[in-house]
Structures are given as structure tokens and as C-alpha cells.
Amino acid sequence: MRAPLTMTAISITEPGGPHVLKAISTAVPHPKPNELLIKVTAAGVNRPDVLQRMGAYPPPKGASTLPGLEVSGEVLAAGPDCRRFKPGDKVCALVGGGGYAEFCAVDESNTLPVPNSLTMTEAAAIPETFFTVWHNVFERGGLKPGETLLVHGGTS
């Protein structure tokens, strides 16, 4: 399947409650050489998405202004530098915005295969929180077996 030229996405029309989210027609993103183009099946809703909608969390410079930081779906296209995934693979990904759309481009390094035990909807709820915690606790913090970790602020 080839991507269409345009897609439906959810845009924030002004700061406020859920009523400010509106469907718009916009261009399908073109993946860079290191990116995958995902046909989005599901997108997670996280605290940063709510804060962005309320006007209290601007997207980083260069990131999509569309909300949505985590998705699951099927790889539609892979840039020439991508090696782990190919079109047709089912993936979940942490994205820099733009997840509330039919298609989303993401760096291949921020993408994981969808575990066989999860639905696509369940997989969309993994990347933002799980990837962040895993990276901070195990990769940056170096937590090892036998050590103790105190988690606080778990309710956002």
C-alpha cells in the first residue's frame, strides 16, 4: 500500500478542554532516511498530551504540533537507513508528536515490535511511560538485581 498525499489528524485549535481537538486534513509525513512511516492503529493519551492541549506544554522546536507521543500500527514504508523493520511489521513507537493521525513518521530507534501477547490498542499504551521508565531506571540509572528503587509521583 502506498501512502495517500493527505490524511486526517487531530489538531489543537486553541488551549482548552477536549472540545478544542478538531479533525483536520493535512499532508502525510515523508519519512527521513532513518525513519519509518507507520499507518497508525492506535495512539496513547498521556499527561503531556493533556498539558499540550491546555496550552501548558509546547512541542519541542522542530517537533510536530499535532498531539500524540505514542502509537502502534503497521510499518507502511521504511527509509533507506532503516534495518530493523520493513513494511508490514507491527510496531509500537515513541514519537515526538503527531501520533493523533492516520500516519506518523518516527525514528526507527524509537520503535519496538508489538509483543504477540498484546493487542494493537494495548501496545499503543507502552512507549511513552514504559520506554521512559526503562531508559531512566536501567540504562541511565543502571539498576541491577538486588538493588531497590523507590518510585514516587506515579500518578503523574
Side-chain angles (χ1 to χ4, degrees):
M1 173 185 175
R2 291 181 53 100
L5 297 177
T6 61
M7 65 178 179
T8 300
I10 301 301
S11 179
I12 300 169
T13 59
E14 63 183 306
H19 66 280
V20 305
L21 298 173
K22 301 291 183 206
I24 62 167
S25 180
T26 189
V28 171
H30 294 283
K32 296 175 184 157
N34 60 323
E35 290 182 334
L36 303 170
L37 180 63
I38 299 173
K39 183 175 185 334
V40 176
T41 301
V45 177
N46 293 280
R47 183 78 169 150
D49 299 314
V50 173
L51 291 173
Q52 182 181 355
R53 187 198 73 221
M54 295 169 58
Y57 190 85
K61 185 177 176 113
S64 174
T65 59
L66 299 173
L69 299 176
E70 61 185 349
V71 300
S72 68
E74 184 176 318
V75 174
L76 187 65
D81 295 344
C82 294
R83 301 286 178 254
R84 294 175 48 223
F85 299 102
K86 64 186 181 320
D89 288 346
K90 293 186 182 338
V91 296
C92 59
L94 179 64
V95 301
Y100 291 9
E102 290 182 278
F103 299 92
C104 186
V106 61
D107 190 292
E108 186 182 43
S109 68
N110 290 355
T111 308
L112 287 177
V114 172
N116 291 333
S117 61
L118 297 181
T119 67
M120 294 298 274
T121 301
E122 292 167 334
I126 292 175
E128 170 66 10
T129 302
F130 184 80
F131 287 7
T132 300
V133 170
W134 181 272
H135 177 74
N136 286 330
V137 171
F138 296 104
E139 293 181 19
R140 291 181 73 194
L143 187 70
K144 299 192 180 15
E147 295 180 334
T148 301
L149 171 71
L150 170 64
V151 177
H152 63 88
T155 60
S156 186

